[in-house]
Amino acid sequence: MSRYKPIPLDFQRQDPAQMEQISKRLLEQLESRRSVRSFSPDPVAPALVDRAIQIASTAPSGAHRQPWKFVVVDDSQLKQKIRQSAEQEEQRSYSSRMPQEWLDALEPLGTDAVKPYLVEAPYLVVLFAETHQLDQAGHKSRNYYVSESVGIAAGMFVTALHLMGLATLTHTPSPMGFLREILQRPANERPYLLFPVGYPAEQCEVPDIERKPLDQVRIRNLPGRDEDS
Ligand code: IYR
């Protein structure tokens, strides 16, 4: 007996004029998203973070395994611990592990090893990737396209937070094994990204950088192929 038991797709076509409007509005909204490194301590309803996680969890995934776990941290002591360990690793990275070329690439972003946002933001959400799962019988079963799946979920999380009026940062303290220990996650979970979540600080500044225009990120057709043939 096959375990494939399809159901009808729930899908409604929308009016093309409305699609044009919606897509334009979405682009405008998302154009204003910025990675934020300076947070207000103002509280944020936990239900908003939960909803952003639910939205992220609608991401497609290899064999529909949904190989992600979002750990929400709001405890000050835990945040302090995470900050301490992250800064320890970052100090080593900035002072000796990162080659000059990397440091040069980061210069316009103004980053350094000091990470106050790890305690300022009301939440730290740590995203873990599940390399494999244990089924009901306790057998190891592997996951598929884990980085791709978790990366898509991360992108949807960032988008959801922005559209609901919150700020975040895709932070990757490196190496980030310490997050597994501090948050007591099992061996099948690998830290993937850390997101501080909250409102930007009153005086928040961001790097003066621009996004690539469409014609630098969208390639039309294959080289040498005639477009209207
Ligand atoms: N993890 C370090 C360095 C860093 C690396 C990249 I690539 C960035 O886009 C930004 C920072 C840090 O968080 O400072």
Side-chain angles (χ1 to χ4, degrees), residues 2-80:
S2 168
R3 287 160 60 218
Y4 177 55
K5 298 190 185 68
I7 55 168
L9 171 69
D10 180 14
F11 186 98
Q12 262 107 40
R13 283 202 190 198
Q14 303 189 52
D15 168 43
Q18 223 176 342
M19 291 165 76
E20 169 66 19
Q21 287 275 305
I22 292 171
S23 65
K24 238 175 113 179
R25 169 101 180 101
L26 269 176
L27 176 58
E28 277 166 17
Q29 285 176 288
L30 288 164
E31 287 279 21
S32 72
R33 187 200 58 77
R34 298 299 310 258
S35 289
V36 161
R37 295 183 171 83
S38 179
F39 287 83
S40 155
D42 287 353
V44 166
L48 293 179
V49 179
D50 284 352
R51 205 156 293 124
I53 293 170
Q54 274 184 291
I55 293 168
S57 211
T58 67
S61 62
H64 190 50
R65 292 295 169 92
Q66 299 182 264
W68 45 72
K69 285 278 189 302
F70 292 81
V71 180
V72 182
V73 178
D74 65 354
D75 178 82
S76 308
Q77 277 186 334
L78 261 187
K79 286 195 274 180
Q80 193 59 253

Side-chain angles (χ1 to χ4, degrees), residues 37 90 94 98 102 106 109 111-112 115 117 171-173:
R37 295 183 171 83
E90 297 287 20
Y94 278 90
M98 287 152 81
W102 194 349
L106 292 182
L109 303 180
T111 60
D112 59 29
K115 307 296 183 191
Y117 53 76
H171 180 42
T172 50

Side-chain angles (χ1 to χ4, degrees), residues 209-223:
I209 51 178
E210 282 177 11
R211 294 195 165 98
K212 290 181 181 176
L214 180 63
D215 65 7
Q216 279 181 35
V217 295
R218 182 266 282 118
I219 315 299
R220 239 199 244 280
N221 274 324
L222 292 170

Side-chain angles (χ1 to χ4, degrees), residues 69 71 73 78-87 89-90 118 124-129 170-187 189-196:
K69 285 278 189 302
V71 180
V73 178
L78 261 187
K79 286 195 274 180
Q80 193 59 253
K81 245 178 151 170
I82 290 172
R83 177 184 182 180
Q84 215 168 38
S85 300
E87 286 184 335
E89 294 291 7
E90 297 287 20
L118 293 176
L124 300 181
V125 177
V126 186
L127 174 52
F128 287 84
T170 47
H171 180 42
T172 50
S174 173
M176 48 184 171
F178 67 89
L179 290 167
R180 247 199 70 232
E181 285 152 42
I182 293 178
L183 300 171
Q184 301 179 7
R185 300 310 303 163
E189 291 181 15
R190 172 172 64 83
Y192 186 87
L193 271 174
L194 189 164
F195 305 91

